[in-house]
Amino acid sequence: MITLPDPMPFSDALNYLRDKQAVGSSMDTAAWREVPAAIRNKAFFSATLTSAQVARRMQDYIDDFLSQDRDVNERGQEFFSSQGRSEFVSKFRQMMMNEGFGKVLPDGSIAPDTNDNDLRDLRSCRRLQLIFDTQVEQAYSYGQFLEGQDEDILDIWPCWKFVRVRPVMSPRPYHDAALGQIRRKDDLDFWLSLNRDFNVPWGPWGFNSGCGTEDVDRAEAEAAGAIKPSDKVKPIAKEFNDRLQQSVAGLGPDVRSWIKRQLGDMVTIHGDKAIYNKPEPSPPPKPDSVPAARPAKTPEQIRQQRQRIGDKIAARQQRQATDRDQISRRLWDDFKQRREAALAPLMVRLKDAAEAYQQARTPENRIAWMAASDAFKTAEESWVPGGMLYKATMKEIQRQKAQSWSRTYRDSIRFLGVDGMVIPKDKRGTVAVSMVKIDARYNIAPARQKKLSSNVQQGLDLV
């Protein structure tokens, strides 16, 4: 009987994040892909983020979140010092504005307005969510990858199945082509080919890829033909590390010079190794140098801010409502064109057969006329209300409109939730969390039908 090993302590996954060096560079995503994998895999970076100090603060926050560091309030109650995604977005959104980051325009200036859905804007809600999600998923996935490298685990679950774990707006074609495939875990070339953004054999499988893997046991893998009963899957960690080293080996002087220009003194290449030069830790701020807190907003400023937010959401929803009207118009126009193209030749055949029968009332002409009439009526039944093709068009209109409504809902929640879901520090540790369920119409209800306790009601009122 095979004994499974003890679960790997999550400290290994945390060390993966902590071993990264915060890097500031003006390189965009395409330029970062040209950097050797050995250098990228050890860097905490975000495209066009030129401040290593801001990157380090992001790294520290995510470290605290993954470590579940706790603090104590004045009542002696414990709470998590880092709340997670919402607080990360709120905190670093303000920091990006204070540091002067944003979407770089063609003339080199920063766009004055923030588009919360623009991934190119370092201030946007969507961009900051992507940074948080990517780093957290990398840490968790790396920990799971290391745990799965045990030989006993590889013997029981020798394969992975590539699956989609959530829908995305722009799925990668090579990911869609690989969905459902069962491959050996030591098929390093295959797994690296699916992770073109990070060049590692674990998730995430690209920025906002929406894909993941499922363990496949030996019986299912053998039934799928992915492995033979006598095959033994081996760990690939060492082979992958060797490839990382090879990605630096043999770099020509032009490539080394390009890396030097992009990353400056942050990376030094000695022979076949890339070494990060860790900067000296920043001295703690002096008491008199701590910036003053931002003054509280007046009621009028709050009212104006809410009005601006409401106007923006209303304008966005109006545009999406117009798009939904165009969906119906476009699909019905396409329906009419296809109906005309399908029925026109049958109508011509019916008219010709009717004219031939009027000219010569022979049994043959009558049979041809009746056959043409039956063919036209049979085809027409699919295009009239209640017909198969009519119903299919109605169903497609409803499907596309439902997708548009989902985007409207998500955009509104994302826009409104940037600052609204962060619990003030003086209230942390005093509010209990309640489980909720969300149905297909996005209605939120308590997970269990019971009376809410006072502290849960307090939390709901606060939020």
Side-chain angles (χ1 to χ4, degrees):
M1 179 177 179
I2 297 177
T3 302
L4 293 179
D6 294 332
M8 179 204 67
F10 194 68
S11 58
D12 288 351
L14 285 174
N15 288 336
Y16 173 71
L17 174 67
R18 292 168 179 169
D19 287 344
K20 289 187 174 184
Q21 175 62 38
V23 173
S25 172
S26 61
M27 290 190 293
D28 58 14
T29 302
W32 269 109
R33 287 198 187 101
E34 300 299 323
V35 176
I39 296 176
R40 252 184 308 133
N41 192 44
K42 288 293 185 180
F44 186 102
F45 67 90
S46 187
T48 70
L49 177 59
T50 57
S51 173
Q53 184 178 13
V54 173
R56 194 176 307 114
R57 291 181 181 177
M58 288 181 168
Q59 184 179 12
D60 291 341
Y61 182 93
I62 295 175
D63 187 335
D64 292 343
F65 171 74
L66 293 177
S67 305
Q68 296 187 340
D69 286 350
R70 296 171 181 267
D71 206 341
V72 180
N73 61 22
E74 66 278 2
R75 302 180 188 178
Q77 297 166 314
E78 283 192 344
F79 62 89
F80 293 116
S81 55
S82 297
Q83 294 186 63
R85 195 188 199 212
S86 294
E87 186 182 40
F88 179 88
V89 171
S90 177
K91 176 178 180 178
F92 287 99
R93 178 188 181 91
Q94 188 61 47
M95 186 177 297
M96 292 297 180
M97 293 178 178
N98 294 341
E99 296 286 341
F101 289 108
K103 181 180 178 180
V104 181
L105 299 176
D107 61 359
S109 62
I110 300 298
D113 297 326
T114 302
N115 182 349
D116 272 316
N117 287 317
D118 193 343
L119 285 173
R120 295 168 296 179
D121 193 336
L122 285 164
R123 304 163 298 187
S124 74
C125 178
R126 191 178 175 196
R127 173 65 179 274
L128 291 168
Q129 287 174 340
L130 179 63
I131 294 173
F132 182 87
D133 292 345
T134 299
Q135 295 297 333
V136 170
E137 189 176 351
Q138 273 189 337
Y140 277 112
S141 297
Y142 179 73
Q144 293 167 353
F145 169 78
L146 283 188
E147 183 176 307
Q149 291 298 293
D150 184 274
E151 292 187 357
D152 287 335
I153 290 180
L154 290 173
D155 188 56
I156 300 174
W157 293 286
C159 295
W160 280 318
K161 179 191 291 186
F162 194 67
V163 296
R164 181 164 296 285
V165 296
R166 67 177 184 276
V168 295
M169 296 296 293
S170 302
R172 294 162 171 79
Y174 57 91
H175 281 174
D176 282 347
L179 291 178
Q181 290 193 34
I182 298 176
R183 292 297 188 96
R184 293 167 56 122
K185 292 182 178 179
D186 58 3
D187 190 349
L188 186 55
D189 289 331
F190 175 77
W191 297 113
L192 289 178
S193 71
L194 295 181
N195 202 338
R196 303 182 186 180
D197 287 350
F198 303 112
N199 291 114
V200 294
W202 59 81
W205 300 94
F207 292 108
N208 198 30
S209 72
C211 291
T213 57
E214 291 179 353
D215 279 320
V216 178
D217 62 28
R218 180 168 285 275
E220 183 181 353
E222 291 177 3
I227 194 171
K228 298 178 181 178
S230 59
D231 287 349
K232 183 177 181 180
V233 178
K234 297 181 179 180
I236 59 174
K238 183 179 184 303
E239 181 183 355
F240 172 67
N241 289 331
D242 290 342
R243 291 198 185 190
L244 282 182
Q245 185 170 336
Q246 292 171 6
S247 71
V248 181
L251 291 180
D254 293 341
V255 177
R256 292 174 184 247
S257 177
W258 179 79
I259 294 174
K260 181 69 175 177
R261 290 196 304 272
Q262 299 296 331
L263 300 178
D265 296 330
M266 288 182 286
V267 176
T268 302
I269 300 177
H270 291 296
D272 296 343
K273 293 184 179 180
I275 301 174
Y276 276 99
N277 304 313
K278 293 189 177 183
E280 293 295 328
S282 302
K286 298 179 180 179
D288 57 354
S289 66
V290 176
R294 186 172 57 178
K297 295 179 180 178
T298 65
E300 177 60 22
Q301 288 175 325
I302 294 176
R303 187 196 66 77
Q304 293 177 357
Q305 184 182 42
R306 289 179 177 176
Q307 182 65 41
R308 289 195 301 271
I309 292 175
D311 291 344
K312 288 184 179 180
I313 293 178
R316 180 183 299 166
Q317 292 181 347
Q318 181 59 47
R319 290 195 301 271
Q320 292 170 338
T322 303
D323 292 341
R324 284 190 286 275
D325 292 339
Q326 293 177 352
I327 289 173
S328 298
R329 189 177 301 109
R330 184 181 71 254
L331 290 180
W332 280 125
D333 289 344
D334 178 68
F335 173 83
K336 293 176 182 178
Q337 292 176 4
R338 289 187 292 116
R339 182 182 62 185
E340 293 296 327
L343 296 182
L346 295 176
M347 176 59 74
V348 172
R349 174 188 169 190
L350 176 59
K351 288 182 178 179
D352 292 344
E355 291 176 359
Y357 179 68
Q358 292 296 329
Q359 294 174 1
R361 295 178 175 269
T362 63
E364 292 80 5
N365 286 345
R366 186 176 187 282
I367 292 173
W369 175 41
M370 296 300 295
S373 178
D374 290 342
F376 180 81
K377 289 180 179 179
T378 300
E380 188 181 32
E381 288 178 354
S382 295
W383 298 93
V384 298
M388 179 183 65
L389 296 175
Y390 186 93
K391 289 181 178 178
T393 301
M394 290 287 294
K395 186 176 181 180
E396 180 62 18
I397 290 174
Q398 292 173 357
R399 187 188 69 82
Q400 293 194 23
K401 282 189 174 182
Q403 291 180 341
S404 175
W405 276 113
S406 296
R407 287 194 295 271
T408 298
Y409 172 81
R410 288 196 306 268
D411 288 350
S412 299
I413 293 299
R414 180 186 297 121
F415 192 91
L416 291 171
V418 171
D419 297 316
M421 296 301 292
V422 178
I423 300 176
K425 287 188 175 182
D426 61 338
K427 296 293 185 181
R428 296 182 191 178
T430 65
V431 180
V433 180
S434 172
M435 296 293 292
V436 298
K437 59 182 179 181
I438 305 176
D439 61 20
R441 296 181 181 273
Y442 303 110
N443 296 319
I444 302 176
R448 296 182 179 87
Q449 297 297 330
K450 64 179 182 180
K451 183 179 179 180
L452 297 178
S453 60
S454 59
N455 60 345
V456 172
Q457 189 61 55
Q458 179 186 359
L460 294 178
D461 294 340
L462 174 64
V463 174

